[in-house]
Amino acid sequence: MHQKARKVFYNAAVLTVAAALLSACNATSTNAPRAPSTPGTPSAPAAESKKPDPAVIRGMANLYSQAPAKDSEFWKKMESEFNVNYTVDWVPADNYQQKLDLVLASGDIPDLMQITNTTAPSILKAVKAGAFWDLTPYLGDFSKYPNFKKYTNQNAWVLSKVGGKNYFVPRTRGNLDSAIFIRQDWLDKLKLKAPTTLEEFAEVMKVIAQSDPDGNGKIDTIGVLPNAGFFAAGFGTRDPVRDSNGGIIHANLTTNYADYVQYMRDLYKAGAIPKEFALINGTQQEEMFMTGRSATLVKNAWHKYRMEQENQKTQPGAKVTILPYLKGPKGYSHIYDLGYFGGMAISKKVDEKKMLRILDFLHATTDEKYYNFVNFGIEGVHYTLKDGFPSLTDAGKKEVNSSFNAPFIFSTAEFAKVDSPLAPMSYNLQVREEMKALYKIDAKIELFNVLQSDAWSSAWSKVKDEFASMEAKAITGAISIDDFKAYQKKLLDNPDVVKSAGEFAKSYEEFFGKK
């Protein structure tokens, strides 16, 4: 793994965590995908004469497209390989957190749940209520679970802790993930250069929105959609902002965030953002870009090849360029991954014996030799190796998709979210080089995907919808930016929000040390 890929944090903070992990961190994060990858049979004790009955596991995972069928060749081989009877409740990704919240509230928690946000208020509340097994005493120093130590990102086990304990088996990966996709052929047509700063990006979006790059005779091209996860960082939201008592204010309530809203407000006023943007979900955003209605999309880098191919179906010659970051007034707009995306939680409703069987299952899938299996299926059926890289067959193109690996834990790979199984190796190598640009800047993680506060969870759960509405109103001009700032200040006076600043500061120190 590239040395800078280990820079999960920033500035002095990285030194603190690295020091804490040095003795235990000996993980191997290699370039993905892996080869050879034909599933082998997990080693068994010599004295074992009879294979135990399969572990019956009821799971829940998010679905981006089509789910692997339980009676498919892959699923049957997977169940046989790992000695499980694994039934997954697939929930559409756009509604996953909402469904997760409902399931947690009902108490009817499946044996194994994919958790996409380990710091979501409902998840922290569930942890504290004893909904999931505390795996800390069982994991120990990983001596009984060597795959977790050898093949996963050790930082992830630290960053995904709640109250200093491991309730999740993190779905670890490298730090390179998403970027802005932009239609390069449209830039060329309009004689525009690919932007490198937020200011340049705004100018490009305004020109595109006022032009007819798709040649349909209409001024109807969407420039961009608001995305705080990418753009807000350029206004300083990745840096801790302290209150007068040394507490850390949540990024959403800072003037830095208000500056991001002002930026989007200006783009909206110029016609670069569609009027109905607040109603457009992630799936629709992707569809709009694939069909040539939108000039940009924030997406995992590995989708670049697919997006280009889809655009070429309706617009021959379509070309997509990646923008890993844009320089802003207070940093860089970018996405630098935590080194994991959520994790798997085991319900406390299962007894200890079954919990250990499930943990063994997750440990087994983490073996490096299974990486291609759980990500691309069966070699010779779903993919073939070309130049050491999995290339999907026709069957693979039908069955292997974004949801394929959702119910599993697998070994860490630096380029897991960069390499496309649809693309030639030469194409992927080029995208890797483009994304490596993040190693050359002061890339920073999203702090509030790590920091925890019960007081914030309580306060935010009551106002998050209202906040989203006020943000949308500020962007559309329904309220002034000063009105939005006044709303932020009002929330800052909320007793729970005041309390959260101290809790965030304490959490920051636990994860990153004093600063």
Side-chain angles (χ1 to χ4, degrees):
M1 182 176 183
H2 192 291
Q3 183 64 28
K4 288 190 179 180
R6 293 180 180 273
K7 187 186 68 173
V8 182
F9 319 115
Y10 51 89
N11 301 338
V14 67
L15 300 178
T16 305
V17 175
L21 296 171
L22 191 58
S23 61
C25 183
N26 191 27
T28 301
S29 295
T30 57
N31 296 348
R34 324 292 176 74
S37 61
T38 304
T41 302
S43 59
E48 185 178 41
S49 58
K50 182 181 179 182
K51 193 174 184 179
D53 291 335
V56 178
I57 304 172
R58 182 168 64 101
M60 178 175 163
N62 65 337
L63 177 68
Y64 288 100
S65 48
Q66 184 177 351
K70 187 169 171 60
D71 62 353
S72 66
E73 187 173 353
F74 165 75
W75 204 264
K76 287 188 287 188
K77 186 172 181 62
M78 179 277 297
E79 291 186 323
S80 173
E81 188 69 33
F82 299 114
N83 196 30
V84 293
N85 181 348
Y86 193 16
T87 302
V88 176
D89 177 15
W90 296 91
V91 179
D94 286 331
N95 302 317
Y96 190 74
Q97 189 62 47
Q98 181 181 4
K99 176 63 180 293
L100 198 65
D101 292 348
L102 291 173
V103 169
L104 292 173
S106 73
D108 184 23
I109 301 175
D111 306 330
L112 185 62
M113 299 181 76
Q114 182 188 9
I115 305 298
T116 53
N117 181 356
T118 58
T119 60
S122 60
I123 301 302
L124 296 179
K125 181 179 179 181
V127 166
K128 290 175 172 58
F132 308 124
W133 272 94
D134 173 9
L135 304 175
T136 316
Y138 300 94
L139 295 170
D141 62 358
F142 292 138
S143 59
K144 293 182 179 179
Y145 300 96
N147 291 348
F148 287 156
K149 184 170 185 178
K150 188 176 182 180
Y151 298 126
T152 67
N153 186 332
Q154 297 299 285
N155 287 334
W157 293 93
V158 175
L159 293 180
S160 62
K161 285 184 175 181
V162 177
K165 297 179 180 180
N166 289 113
Y167 293 91
F168 315 108
V169 176
R171 304 182 77 237
T172 73
R173 59 193 190 188
N175 302 108
L176 302 180
D177 189 338
S178 298
I180 300 177
F181 297 172
I182 189 168
R183 285 289 295 272
Q184 181 63 48
D185 55 313
W186 288 357
L187 294 179
D188 295 340
K189 181 178 181 179
L190 298 172
K191 294 181 171 48
L192 298 169
K193 292 183 178 180
T196 60
T197 68
L198 283 173
E199 184 178 3
E200 292 174 357
F201 181 81
E203 292 307 310
V204 167
M205 290 302 100
K206 292 172 185 177
V207 171
I208 286 176
Q210 295 163 7
S211 305
D212 180 25
D214 61 355
N216 69 349
K218 301 177 182 179
I219 307 299
D220 61 354
T221 301
I222 295 168
V224 65
L225 288 158
N227 188 309
F230 184 93
F231 291 102
F235 298 94
T237 60
R238 299 278 171 85
D239 296 310
V241 175
R242 304 272 182 174
D243 64 14
S244 58
N245 297 315
I248 294 178
I249 301 170
H250 193 283
N252 289 2
L253 305 185
T254 63
T255 57
N256 293 334
Y257 195 86
D259 291 342
Y260 153 73
V261 173
Q262 177 67 62
Y263 178 79
M264 289 298 164
R265 179 186 178 93
D266 293 341
L267 283 170
Y268 182 90
K269 186 177 181 180
I273 295 175
K275 293 181 179 180
E276 72 282 6
F277 75 88
L279 302 177
I280 302 173
N281 63 34
T283 301
Q284 292 169 327
Q285 291 179 29
E286 182 176 321
E287 180 67 22
M288 290 164 63
F289 184 76
M290 285 194 303
T291 55
R293 294 172 57 200
S294 177
T296 62
L297 176 71
V298 176
K299 194 73 175 175
N300 315 104
W302 75 270
H303 290 281
K304 180 190 174 189
Y305 183 81
R306 180 171 67 90
M307 292 295 147
E308 202 165 65
Q309 296 296 304
E310 290 295 327
N311 270 292
Q312 288 175 3
K313 291 179 181 179
T314 54
Q315 296 182 331
K319 186 177 180 181
V320 175
T321 287
I322 274 183
L323 305 177
Y325 63 84
L326 295 168
K327 191 176 185 347
K330 294 183 181 179
Y332 294 91
S333 289
H334 66 287
I335 292 176
Y336 197 67
D337 198 88
L338 297 177
Y340 74 101
F341 176 64
M344 304 299 282
I346 304 174
S347 171
K348 199 63 171 25
K349 287 183 176 293
V350 306
D351 60 27
E352 183 181 45
K353 182 179 179 181
K354 184 169 183 176
M355 177 274 291
L356 291 172
R357 286 290 302 276
I358 295 174
L359 193 57
D360 285 342
F361 166 57
L362 299 178
H363 177 252
T365 63
T366 310
D367 192 313
E368 186 179 40
K369 68 182 179 181
Y370 289 117
Y371 182 87
N372 282 354
F373 180 55
V374 299
N375 282 278
F376 305 108
I378 303 170
E379 185 176 3
V381 176
H382 299 101
Y383 74 92
T384 58
L385 288 174
K386 292 183 179 180
D387 299 321
F389 187 85
S391 176
L392 293 180
T393 62
D394 289 341
K397 291 175 182 178
K398 292 179 181 178
E399 297 180 37
V400 177
N401 52 61
S402 308
S403 298
F404 201 77
N405 63 24
F408 306 108
I409 296 292
F410 43 89
S411 56
T412 300
E414 180 180 5
F415 299 108
K417 306 303 290 184
V418 176
D419 291 331
S420 169
L422 301 173
M425 186 61 175
S426 58
Y427 189 98
N428 284 324
L429 290 175
Q430 178 59 41
V431 178
R432 288 183 184 186
E433 290 305 311
E434 293 169 357
M435 288 300 292
K436 283 181 182 178
L438 285 171
Y439 293 150
K440 300 176 183 178
I441 66 169
D442 186 20
K444 301 175 182 179
I445 64 168
E446 173 53 69
L447 273 180
F448 294 94
N449 284 339
V450 177
L451 302 187
Q452 299 161 16
S453 163
D454 288 340
W456 176 262
S457 296
S458 175
W460 188 244
S461 65
K462 299 171 186 174
V463 302
K464 63 179 180 179
D465 291 338
E466 179 185 69
F467 184 91
S469 175
M470 292 294 285
E471 180 179 328
K473 288 179 180 178
I475 291 174
T476 61
I479 63 173
S480 70
I481 199 69
D482 286 337
D483 289 336
F484 180 72
K485 290 179 178 179
Y487 174 68
Q488 287 180 305
K489 187 177 184 305
K490 173 186 172 184
L491 293 182
L492 284 171
D493 291 334
N494 180 307
D496 277 336
V497 173
V498 172
K499 184 179 179 181
S500 74
E503 293 179 349
F504 280 137
K506 181 180 178 181
S507 182
Y508 183 93
E509 187 172 332
E510 289 175 351
F511 283 113
F512 307 116
K514 293 183 178 181
K515 182 184 176 183

